[in-house]
Amino acid sequence: MDKMVLARVSSLPKMSLQEMKDLWQELYQEPPPRSTKTFLVKKLAYRLQELAYGISPDIEARIAQAAKEHFSSGGAPQKKKLSYTRPMVGTRLIREYRGVEYQVAVLEEGYEYQGCAYSSLSKIARHITGAAWSGPAFFGLTKAKGGRS
């Protein structure tokens, strides 16, 4: 990294929020997003290096592939991939929460809890806890963030 770019990147954390917003406008030719200073530092550092050195062929290929997939699907949002392996149909998920045992059956499409069909485990977890939960994390299929249990 040449000294000029290195100096600009290393000065970013010392800038005021307004200075960062002004730099964003200069570098991106658009108003800055509402975000934290940490986010702006990272994005501005990347942009400064991008303008100085260009984008690597690997990144250009990944961008082209993502655009191809996006437009080949008609621009429709892609269905999110599960970050866990969905249990086999017929499996019973059992979770004890605040001294009460809860059981959920895995159906062909969705889940069954207390005789009602649900499209996601998260909806069941919300029903049980009254709070927003990752259903797979609540039922032990993934690790919960933040240590909630």
Side-chain angles (χ1 to χ4, degrees), residues 9-77:
V9 168
S10 63
S11 71
L12 291 171
K14 300 170 195 144
M15 295 173 87
S16 71
L17 191 55
Q18 187 57 51
E19 289 172 321
M20 288 181 158
K21 288 179 179 184
D22 293 342
L23 182 58
W24 182 283
Q25 182 71 43
E26 177 187 330
L27 297 177
Y28 285 97
Q29 301 299 307
E30 63 183 41
R34 293 185 59 158
S35 63
T36 65
K37 187 173 178 179
T38 302
F39 173 82
L40 291 175
V41 167
K42 289 177 185 178
K43 295 297 281 185
L44 289 170
Y46 181 88
R47 183 70 173 155
L48 287 168
Q49 294 171 78
E50 178 186 37
L51 292 172
Y53 306 115
I55 299 175
S56 77
D58 289 346
I59 292 175
E60 284 182 353
R62 286 173 46 196
I63 291 170
Q65 181 62 31
K68 180 181 172 186
E69 289 171 7
H70 176 75
F71 290 111
S72 69
S73 69

Side-chain angles (χ1 to χ4, degrees), residues 98-109:
R98 295 190 175 168
V100 177
E101 184 177 277
Y102 298 92
Q103 292 189 24
V104 172
V106 179
L107 305 175
E108 193 72 37
E109 294 211 9

Side-chain angles (χ1 to χ4, degrees), residues 75-111:
Q78 298 292 318
K79 189 172 183 178
K80 289 183 180 179
K81 294 181 181 173
L82 297 177
S83 62
Y84 66 96
T85 303
R86 190 175 190 276
M88 291 176 40
V89 172
T91 301
R92 288 224 172 265
L93 303 173
I94 300 171
R95 165 69 198 261
E96 185 177 316
Y97 179 73
R98 295 190 175 168
V100 177
E101 184 177 277
Y102 298 92
Q103 292 189 24
V104 172
V106 179
L107 305 175
E108 193 72 37
E109 294 211 9
Y111 304 89

